[in-house]
Amino acid sequence: MKPPGSTQQPLSPVTLHVLLALTSGDQHGYAIMQEVLRQSEGRYKLWPGTLYDNLQKLVREGWVHELGAKAGDDDPRRRYYRLTKQGASTLASEIDRLEAVVREAKVQLSNFKPRRT
Amino acid sequence: MRPLYRFLLRLHPPAFRERFGQEMVSIFDHSPDRWRLIADAAISATRQRYARPSFHPLTRGEAALLGVAMTSLSFLGFGFLVNDGVHRLNVSLRTQETAILDTLPGRRVVTQLFRDFRVLAAIDANHDNVLSAAELSQAEIALLALDRNHDGILAAGECTRTRNMKLRIGRFAEIAAVADPMAAMSLNPALAALDLDRDAVLSLDEIRQAGASLHRLDIDRDGELVPEELFSPAQFTLFGEALI
């Protein structure tokens, strides 16, 4: 639940998808891109320029923690990222907000009567 | 192409390049979409240089080379976007979003989509990419004709064609087609309307109710279904990516 008086701004779609992708565990950049594609059922393609632009912001915000390379990885250039508690809390608040929007939309659409043109 | 990609990475601010450059090269080495990644790197370099607080000014030489690269990519991008269905292009460096908004899809795109979703091609008897009231009234008969193995149901593979993810329209433009028939049953509004119990199979009962099920998609209540009512907006978005 969002704390009373919370004024968190809506998250951008990329931020939302990246945080959501990291809920399944530590991931490197390419894996985040693939997870976003899977979660969006192929609708949302994230490219590296956008991904890392957002990751640098998310790390600065404290929502994502940069872990560095993992021992034993078949590509030592990969660096892994982890969702922080603050990031998880931010994501949860955003989900609450989106759920409220969907509830309102369903109520409004159920009363919607299209007009003949 | 790899040297070009590495050159574009060099145009990024040093802090960004040192932090993420190797990862981006790693992704480039593993990805088949090399040209798309090159375009992405050019846009990314511009954004990091001019649209982020950690602005690092370019040297004169780097600015000149970036200008040439962006101008060339702009002409190339314009070539990508010339096709039958383009009405408007919205390019924003800040959001890095390239999409076609509020466009009517080209006829070739729609015809191919009808072919991909066999049930629609079957119902569209005169192949005009519109399901008329008369065609909808015959929907049950049209769908029964698709039952190739005569088991009384239409499986996902009988409802759609399995295709590769890329479909070439014209010389450059692409549209992502649905590769997985099972996913298509839920992603496509028309198939989702027909599959009442969401089990990715059209039962005999669902086939018999096909006309009534599809009528629910008739948003403007004119008795016929046009492509905008049959396909989701994502299936009309060129490139299919979001770069926000």
Side-chain angles (χ1 to χ4, degrees):
Chain A
M1 286 285 290
K2 203 162 56 173
S6 170
T7 56
Q8 178 182 304
Q9 293 294 315
L11 299 181
S12 71
V14 172
T15 298
L16 173 63
H17 279 292
V18 170
L19 292 178
L20 199 56
L22 288 173
T23 56
S24 51
D26 300 344
Q27 313 242 20
H28 53 75
Y30 191 55
I32 294 173
M33 289 167 57
Q34 297 298 310
E35 181 64 12
V36 168
L37 192 66
R38 187 195 69 78
Q39 287 179 348
S40 64
E41 297 177 337
R43 290 189 176 108
Y44 212 83
K45 266 192 183 178
L46 200 55
W47 296 101
T50 307
L51 169 65
Y52 290 110
D53 177 56
N54 278 270
L55 276 175
Q56 73 176 349
K57 283 188 286 188
L58 295 177
V59 170
R60 190 167 57 230
E61 292 284 341
W63 297 347
V64 170
H65 178 57
E66 192 173 345
L67 297 174
K70 273 195 179 174
D73 198 321
D74 57 356
D75 191 338
R77 295 171 296 182
R78 288 175 180 158
R79 301 171 71 84
Y80 284 74
Y81 301 89
R82 175 180 291 170
L83 187 66
T84 63
K85 279 187 183 174
Q86 189 179 353
S89 172
T90 301
L91 179 61
S93 296
E94 178 68 4
I95 298 302
D96 286 342
R97 186 190 71 80
L98 290 171
E99 283 178 338
V101 170
V102 170
R103 276 195 299 272
E104 179 65 20
K106 283 183 176 175
V107 167
Q108 295 299 329
L109 282 173
S110 66
N111 297 328
F112 175 70
K113 290 189 174 117
R115 293 179 184 175
R116 290 185 180 274
T117 55
Chain B
M1 292 171 71
R2 198 173 190 267
L4 175 59
Y5 190 73
R6 293 186 69 93
F7 167 73
L8 290 169
L9 287 180
R10 284 187 57 199
L11 296 180
H12 287 69
F16 186 94
R17 185 172 69 238
E18 284 157 19
R19 191 173 184 188
F20 301 116
Q22 286 299 309
E23 291 174 83
M24 293 175 76
V25 173
S26 172
I27 292 172
F28 183 86
D29 289 341
H30 287 95
S31 173
D33 295 314
R34 298 287 177 93
W35 280 115
R36 201 69 59 76
L37 287 171
I38 285 172
D40 172 70
I43 295 169
S44 173
T46 307
R47 179 174 51 203
Q48 294 303 319
R49 287 288 185 181
Y50 297 107
R52 292 292 175 260
S54 58
F55 175 74
H56 295 271
L58 292 167
T59 63
R60 280 190 181 179
E62 287 174 335
L65 283 171
L66 181 61
V68 169
M70 288 305 296
T71 303
S72 303
L73 285 169
S74 295
F75 278 111
L76 196 63
F78 181 76
F80 280 145
L81 294 168
V82 175
N83 70 25
D84 293 340
V86 174
H87 282 193
R88 190 176 77 210
L89 170 65
N90 181 8
V91 176
S92 167
L93 281 177
R94 179 172 177 79
T95 63
Q96 203 184 0
E97 178 179 354
T98 302
I100 305 302
L101 303 175
D102 297 330
T103 62
L104 290 175
R107 182 174 175 80
R108 290 168 67 190
V109 171
V110 175
T111 299
Q112 190 60 57
L113 282 171
F114 265 74
R115 286 186 193 143
D116 282 344
F117 296 100
R118 286 200 184 100
V119 295
L120 299 179
I123 299 171
D124 182 21
N126 62 354
H127 308 297
D128 65 347
N129 300 335
V130 171
L131 302 188
S132 66
E135 288 169 340
L136 287 169
S137 69
Q138 301 295 308
E140 177 187 344
I141 298 172
L143 292 183
L144 286 172
L146 285 180
D147 183 16
R148 288 175 288 181
N149 59 2
H150 306 292
D151 60 353
I153 61 173
L154 289 179
E158 291 175 300
C159 295
T160 70
R161 293 204 306 177
T162 302
R163 295 175 55 78
N164 294 326
M165 288 299 291
K166 300 279 177 65
L167 172 68
R168 298 259 170 214
I169 301 293
R171 290 181 62 194
F172 302 106
E174 297 176 336
I175 180 172
V178 176
D180 178 7
M182 296 286 286
M185 297 298 285
S186 60
L187 287 180
N188 174 257
L191 290 179
L194 290 168
D195 185 16
L196 296 170
D197 57 4
R198 297 285 190 271
D199 65 348
V201 168
L202 298 188
S203 65
L204 195 55
D205 278 342
E206 288 169 337
I207 292 172
R208 284 179 178 149
Q209 298 179 61
S213 299
L214 289 172
H215 266 298
R216 286 199 286 272
L217 300 175
D218 186 12
I219 297 173
D220 55 5
R221 309 277 174 93
D222 64 351
E224 60 182 23
L225 296 176
V226 294
E228 289 78 13
E229 294 169 311
L230 292 168
F231 300 110
S232 64
Q235 285 161 336
F236 293 145
T237 302
L238 286 179
F239 305 125
E241 74 258 26
L243 302 172
I244 299 172

